[in-house]
Amino acid sequence: MKNTALTEKHIALGAKMVPFAGYNMPVTYEGINAEHATVRNGVGVFDVSHMGEFILKGENALDLIQRVTSNDASKLYDGKVQYSCLPNKDGGIVDDLLVYRIDDKTYMLVVNASNIEKDWNWIQSFNDKGIEMHNISDKTSLLAIQGPKAADALQSLTDVDLASMEYYSFVKGTFAGVENVIISATGYTGAGGFEIYFENEYAEKIWDLVFEAGKSYNIKPIGLAARDTLRLEMGFCLYGNDIDDTTSPIEAGLGWITKFSKPFTNSEALQAQKEAGIQRKLVGFEMIDRGIPRHDYEIADADGNIIGKVTSGTQAPSLQKAIGMGYVAKDFSKEGTEVFINIRNTPIKAKVVKFPFYK
């Protein structure tokens, strides 16, 4: 089990620690609902140092990224971030990721913790033009400081004008007295805020200064459980649940990051799928009757025919209702369609709704 550079901090703060993607991670501190509300309404700090970071360098770095990712990375400029995915050769997804353009020959890819080795090997298998690849995951710490008060809480720590940063942009600058920190206006909560990348050796210093700077904003540490409820309220996909090696980006509603203006892995088959029409679709649903949907519960129609499966579900703290995501047969994917979630052999009524759940 790996630790992050901040594991001792979490333990000292009384976090409940769990194994996650090979790491010892904080799942909750004071409870999911309280932590969720902190991020939605104020500012909270997630240690997400388990995520993977790769640097790709060289004349042909963009060419490699274009071949392995579904989105069009040629649209990036220095300081811009893009959400994308790595399609496999069978119509599914190796992983979803962020692509950072540092300069025209240098990119950083941020990948899911559980897929670091898998993604590295996959991208490396296409590296036939000698692009320098560096896996910096083990020496990089990452804090996600999220919530509507994040910019105000952090502004005293940097000369970068945080409030004016565009969504999905980043700067490399000085933060909390540490140079060469990547400050990124990104996040997985839908609550606004930043993701801060730096070397492990500065982790405790930055953590302490962030909490000192944010004290008057009631800043708090937040665990992975609230990260999950926050992303689910936004309808953001979680790899391993809502997308995986068997789900296509078209089925998952990720057509917006699947650009056929350039060839990429399996692009012809995915384009054919888009043109022919999909047979199943990832939808959001909210429960009408009482019950909480969970991963792998069956979704049925009014006659009890199985039409799909739940991929994610929870009691949404901001909405005071149970919500979920799942793949259903295309005929049942229209907004307002009534479906039933089989919870302990009982069909519980739900209806298909548009993403995001939290508006």
Side-chain angles (χ1 to χ4, degrees):
M1 189 73 62
K2 288 182 175 177
N3 288 323
T4 75
L6 292 163
T7 298
E8 293 307 318
K9 287 273 183 200
H10 305 312
I11 292 167
L13 286 164
K16 182 184 175 192
M17 306 296 287
V18 296
F20 183 82
Y23 281 82
N24 189 18
M25 298 296 288
V27 68
T28 54
Y29 293 86
E30 59 174 326
I32 297 176
N33 291 350
E35 291 170 38
H36 183 108
T38 292
V39 176
R40 275 275 175 263
N41 306 313
V43 56
V45 184
F46 302 85
D47 175 14
V48 281
S49 305
H50 60 317
M51 298 291 281
E53 295 87 11
F54 306 153
I55 300 291
L56 271 57
K57 248 180 170 171
E59 289 289 340
N60 296 303
L62 176 62
D63 171 75
L64 175 58
I65 291 165
Q66 288 288 68
R67 284 185 290 136
V68 298
T69 66
S70 62
N71 209 337
D72 186 359
S74 72
K75 298 277 193 281
L76 288 170
Y77 46 85
D78 294 0
K80 187 66 181 160
V81 191
Q82 184 181 73
Y83 178 58
S84 193
C85 77
L86 301 169
N88 65 23
K89 291 175 179 173
D90 310 309
I93 299 170
V94 176
D95 202 3
D96 61 336
L97 74 163
L98 294 179
V99 180
Y100 284 67
R101 176 170 146 150
I102 294 166
D103 60 47
D104 63 346
K105 296 184 184 67
T106 316
Y107 294 80
M108 179 171 79
L109 309 184
V110 182
V111 303
N112 283 300
S114 53
N115 291 335
I116 294 172
E117 191 180 351
K118 172 190 175 191
D119 293 356
W120 175 267
N121 292 339
W122 178 260
I123 296 165
Q124 191 68 273
S125 72
F126 291 88
N127 184 10
D128 51 13
K129 295 183 181 173
I131 291 114
E132 253 185 80
M133 284 178 61
H134 303 277
N135 181 356
I136 61 167
S137 309
D138 283 344
K139 61 180 187 183
T140 305
S141 287
L142 171 57
L143 293 182
I145 304 167
Q146 298 281 290
K149 295 180 181 172
D152 291 343
L154 299 179
Q155 190 56 70
S156 65
L157 296 174
T158 182
D159 292 338
V160 175
D161 183 2
L162 298 176
S164 69
M165 281 182 71
E166 275 179 29
Y167 190 44
Y168 268 66
S169 73
F170 73 97
V171 288
K172 227 178 188 183
T174 301
F175 181 85
V178 178
E179 290 175 13
N180 276 326
V181 173
I182 288 179
I183 304 165
S184 176
T186 48
Y188 192 48
T189 64
F194 304 89
E195 293 183 302
I196 314 284
Y197 299 82
F198 47 89
E199 290 180 21
N200 290 344
E201 63 189 279
Y202 303 112
E204 292 202 7
K205 175 189 175 179
I206 288 178
W207 176 273
D208 289 343
L209 288 172
V210 162
F211 277 90
E212 204 174 296
K215 197 178 283 178
S216 59
Y217 298 92
N218 203 22
I219 197 167
K220 288 182 179 174
I222 312 292
L224 293 183
R227 182 172 157 89
D228 194 51
T229 53
L230 287 155
R231 71 92 194 165
L232 187 44
E233 287 186 346
M234 300 309 297
F236 294 156
C237 288
L238 172 64
Y239 193 88
N241 281 43
D242 314 301
I243 49 175
D244 60 30
D245 286 300
T246 70
T247 58
S248 96
I250 310 299
E251 293 171 336
L254 298 176
W256 62 282
I257 63 163
T258 310
K259 302 290 168 61
F260 298 112
S261 51
K262 48 123 200 186
F264 58 84
T265 315
N266 207 39
S267 55
E268 284 179 14
L270 290 173
Q271 189 162 12
Q273 183 186 52
K274 186 183 179 181
E275 285 161 8
I278 49 176
Q279 299 308 303
R280 62 173 188 162
K281 188 180 175 187
L282 185 66
V283 298
F285 59 86
E286 60 183 42
M287 302 305 294
I288 295 171
D289 293 338
R290 203 182 164 111
I292 299 178
R294 298 292 184 199
H295 179 68
D296 272 351
Y297 283 8
E298 290 173 334
I299 306 174
D301 65 11
D303 297 324
N305 301 306
I306 304 304
I307 55 162
K309 197 176 260 191
V310 176
T311 55
S312 289
T314 194
Q315 177 72 19
S318 305
L319 305 169
Q320 300 292 301
K321 62 175 78 163
I323 58 170
M325 295 164 73
Y327 287 90
V328 296
K330 191 177 170 233
D331 293 347
F332 296 88
S333 64
K334 199 163 175 264
E335 188 185 358
T337 302
E338 202 169 84
V339 294
F340 294 82
I341 314 301
N342 288 339
I343 302 179
R344 289 183 288 281
N345 299 319
T346 306
I348 308 292
K349 195 185 290 185
K351 70 171 178 184
V352 174
V353 296
K354 262 190 177 165
F355 295 125
F357 299 98
Y358 178 81
K359 297 183 172 63

